[in-house]
Amino acid sequence: MDRRAFLSTGSAVALTLPLIGTPLLAAPPAGAKTSGDARINALFEQVFQDRVRRSPELASSLGLDKGANAHLKSELDTRPIVAARAEDLARARRNLAAVQAIPPASLSNASKLNRDVVMYQIQTGMIAASKFGIDSTQRPYPIFQQGGAYFELPDFLNTAHTIATTSDAEAYLARLALVDNVLDNDSAEQKRQAARGFLAPAWSIDLTLGQMKQLRGVPAAENTMVESIARRTAAKGIAGDWRTRAAAIVEGQIYPALDRQIALMEQLKPTTRPGDGASRLPNGEAIYAAALAQATTTNFTPDEVHKMGLAQVAEISAQLDTILKGAGYSQGTIGARLDQLNRSPAQLYANTDAGRAELIESLNRGIKDMYARLPRAFATLPNAPLEIRRVPPEIQDGASNGYYNRAALDGSRPAIYFINLKDVGDWPKYSLPTLTYHEGVPGHHLQISLSQESTDIPTIRKIGGFSAYSEGWALYAEQLAGELGVYDGDPLGRAGFLQSFLFRAARLVVDTGLHTKGWSREKATDYMVATTGFARPRSQREVERYCTQMGQACSYKVGHMAWTRARAEAQKTLGAKFDLKRFHEVLKDGAMPLTLLQQRIRERTAQG
C-alpha cells in the first residue's frame, strides 16, 4: 500500500461525538437522486483517478495499470519523500475543499454518507504530515522491521506486479531498475527524521538489519526479486534471459543501495533513544493520541482503553476456565493451561516443509467448509478468489503472524491471506480455524471483497478502509462462525475462538501500556505470554509490531464492540422481523468510521 496516500486506511471519529455531516435520515427520502449526486460522484472519481495516476504501486495493486495507465506498470513512486509529503498534503487540502463545497442538502442519503466518509479520510489523513511532519501517526518510523522499501517492494513485485506477456516482464525490469532510487529516498528520509528523534528502537533496527542482510546475502541470481521474474516468465513460456538481466540490475544497482542503507542503519543505531513506546518520540503523547483516535475511530482515552482491556481479559478468562477444566487442564493460570494445550503433540504440525504444507491444506479445507455455511447468514457472497500463502521467509522474522491482501479490482490477481510459518509450533491446530474465519471468510475476505464488488459506492471508497470497522468485523466474523455451528461438539475449537478474543483484549492492555504507562517490550511480552498462553516468539513479534505501529492493535476489540452493539440494537428494534442476511447487507455500503456505521445501521433498521 502507498504509505504516502492520504486517502487510505485510517480515519478518526468519536463514538460519542456528533457527526461532521448531515444526518442520513433527513430529507430527501432514502434512494432519491438529487442535483448534487452527479457532481460529487464525478469529483470522487476525479480524486480517485488522480490518486491512481500518482501512485504506480496503487495502480498495480488494484489491477489498474492498463489502458491509459499502462505506463504506470513500468514505474514506481520515486519522488523524494519530503517533497512528496508536501505535494500530497497540498493536494489533500484542495480535495477536502472541493468536497466541502458541495452542499449536503443537494445530496441523496447515499451520497451524504459517501461525502462524510471521504471527508473523514481526507481530514485524518492530513494529521501526520500537517501536525507532526511524518507520514503516519500509527507508523512514525521511516524504516523498521515491518516498514520501508526493503520490506515492501520485493513482496509488491512478486504479488502485485502481474506477468502474462513480454511487455509485463519488461515492465518488471523497468521497475526493478528504480528500486535503488526508492531505497535511497528512504535512507535520506530516515537520516533526516533520525535527527528529529524518529528512529526505531535498537532491537527493531537489529531485526531490520537482519532482514536487509538476508535480502542482500545471496548471489544476485538467487535473490527473491530475480527468482520471481525467472519463475513466472518460465511458467508463461515467455522467451528471454530474464534471470540474467534481472540479476544484473540487482547486483549493479539494488545491492549497492542496500549496502548504503545497511551502513546508515548501523551508523544510526547507537544514536537511537531508549524506550519502546511513544514517550521516546518528540511530542509522543500527542502522536499516540492521534494514532489511537485514527485506529479506533473513537475518542476513548488511553486509560479508558486500558481498563476496558483488563475487564475483558477477566471476563474471557473466566469462560476459558470452564472449557479448559472440562478438557482436563485444571492446574495453573489460564495462560499456563493454554500453554500446556499449545504444546500437546496432538495439537502440532511437524515443523517441516511437509508440515507447513499440511497446515495450509487444513486452512483451505476450513475455507471450503465455511463457504458452504455462508448462505445461511449472507444474501450476497463475494466472487473474488482467495489464496493462502506462507509469509516469504526473507521477511518472516519481522512480519506479522497473519495478514490479508485484497484482490485486484479488475480480477487479475486473487486476494491473498498470508500466514507466518517461521515456527509451526506457533499455530496449534485448535487455534487455526478461528484465524481462517478472521482473515478469510466470513472475515476480511468477505467484507473487503463485497465492498470492492459493490455497485452502491464510488471507487474511492472501495479502496479506503478503517481498521476499527474491518478488524472489528473480522472479530465479529469469528463469533458468527460459532453461530454457524463450526464449534458444535468441539470445545477445544471454541477454546481457540475464546483465546483469539482474549488475545485481542490483551492487546488493549499492552498497546496502551507500552505507549502511555511506560511498559517495556519485555514487560509487554511477559504479560502477553502469561495472559494468552501464546508462545513467547509469537507474542514478542506481536509486541514488537505494537511498539512500531501504534494504536492499531486497539482497533480490533473496539470495533468488535461496535458491530455487536449495532446488531443487538437492530434485533431489539425489529424483534421477530430482524433478518440476519439483511443486516449483513450493510457491508455493501463499504467501510466507514464506527459512528457512521452505527447511524447507517439505524437508518437501515428504520426502513424495516
Side-chain angles (χ1 to χ4, degrees), residues 314-324 334 494 497-498:
E315 177 185 341
I316 298 166
S317 294
Q319 297 179 55
L320 274 165
D321 181 52
T322 300
I323 294 176
L324 291 172
I334 296 299
R494 179 162 176 79
F497 156 66
L498 288 173

Side-chain angles (χ1 to χ4, degrees), residues 481-521:
E483 295 176 29
L484 293 175
V486 297
Y487 308 125
D488 291 354
D490 181 15
L492 288 184
R494 179 162 176 79
F497 156 66
L498 288 173
Q499 186 185 37
S500 170
F501 270 40
L502 180 63
F503 172 47
R504 273 46 180 251
R507 281 176 161 177
L508 301 177
V509 180
V510 168
D511 196 82
T512 52
L514 283 164
H515 297 298
T516 66
K517 298 184 181 298
W519 286 25
S520 66
R521 177 181 61 142

Side-chain angles (χ1 to χ4, degrees), residues 204-263:
S204 173
I205 296 175
D206 285 338
L207 285 170
T208 300
L209 285 168
Q211 293 178 151
M212 288 177 176
K213 290 175 181 178
Q214 188 170 352
L215 182 65
R216 171 68 176 85
V218 297
E222 299 172 18
N223 184 277
T224 182
M225 291 177 282
V226 176
E227 289 285 356
S228 178
I229 188 172
R231 181 185 70 253
R232 292 191 286 158
T233 51
K236 293 290 185 179
I238 302 172
D241 193 359
W242 304 105
R243 183 182 296 274
T244 299
R245 293 175 65 192
I249 296 170
V250 169
E251 183 70 40
Q253 296 175 231
I254 296 177
Y255 277 177
L258 270 173
D259 289 339
R260 292 189 291 272
Q261 194 162 91
I262 289 169

Side-chain angles (χ1 to χ4, degrees), residues 321-342:
D321 181 52
T322 300
I323 294 176
L324 291 172
K325 284 179 178 176
Y329 296 91
S330 58
Q331 301 299 314
T333 64
I334 296 299
R337 282 181 271 168
L338 287 169
D339 181 59
Q340 293 174 45
L341 179 59
N342 293 346

Side-chain angles (χ1 to χ4, degrees), residues 348-506:
L348 299 177
Y349 290 99
N351 197 31
T352 63
D353 286 345
R356 292 178 175 89
E358 186 182 357
L359 186 155
I360 289 177
E361 176 55 31
S362 77
L363 300 181
N364 280 305
R365 288 196 304 271
I367 291 286
K368 184 177 180 180
D369 172 74
M370 180 51 66
Y371 264 112
R373 300 173 188 262
L374 290 180
R376 291 158 49 189
F378 296 91
T380 308
L381 297 178
N383 296 312
L386 174 66
E387 290 186 7
I388 303 175
R389 297 184 189 175
R390 178 185 180 182
V391 169
E394 64 269 15
I395 62 170
Q396 66 187 8
D397 288 352
S400 300
N401 289 314
Y403 53 92
Y404 173 87
N405 283 358
R406 67 177 70 221
L409 285 177
D410 68 346
S412 61
R413 180 181 47 76
I416 305 170
Y417 143 30
F418 286 97
I419 181 170
N420 193 328
L421 297 181
K422 177 182 180 181
D423 185 350
V424 174
D426 288 344
W427 299 108
K429 294 177 182 178
Y430 78 96
S431 70
L432 284 168
T434 292
L435 178 72
T436 293
Y437 308 141
H438 184 104
E439 301 291 348
V441 289
H444 286 320
H445 181 61
L446 186 145
Q447 176 253 308
I448 292 172
S449 296
L450 283 183
S451 176
Q452 288 193 173
E453 295 168 12
S454 175
T455 59
D456 300 330
I457 58 176
T459 312
I460 195 171
R461 289 201 49 224
K462 293 180 181 182
I463 64 166
F466 298 85
S467 186
Y469 177 100
S470 297
E471 298 298 353
W473 169 265
L475 280 192
Y476 170 79
E478 296 178 29
Q479 176 182 318
L480 181 64
E483 295 176 29
L484 293 175
V486 297
Y487 308 125
D488 291 354
D490 181 15
L492 288 184
R494 179 162 176 79
F497 156 66
L498 288 173
Q499 186 185 37
S500 170
F501 270 40
L502 180 63
F503 172 47
R504 273 46 180 251

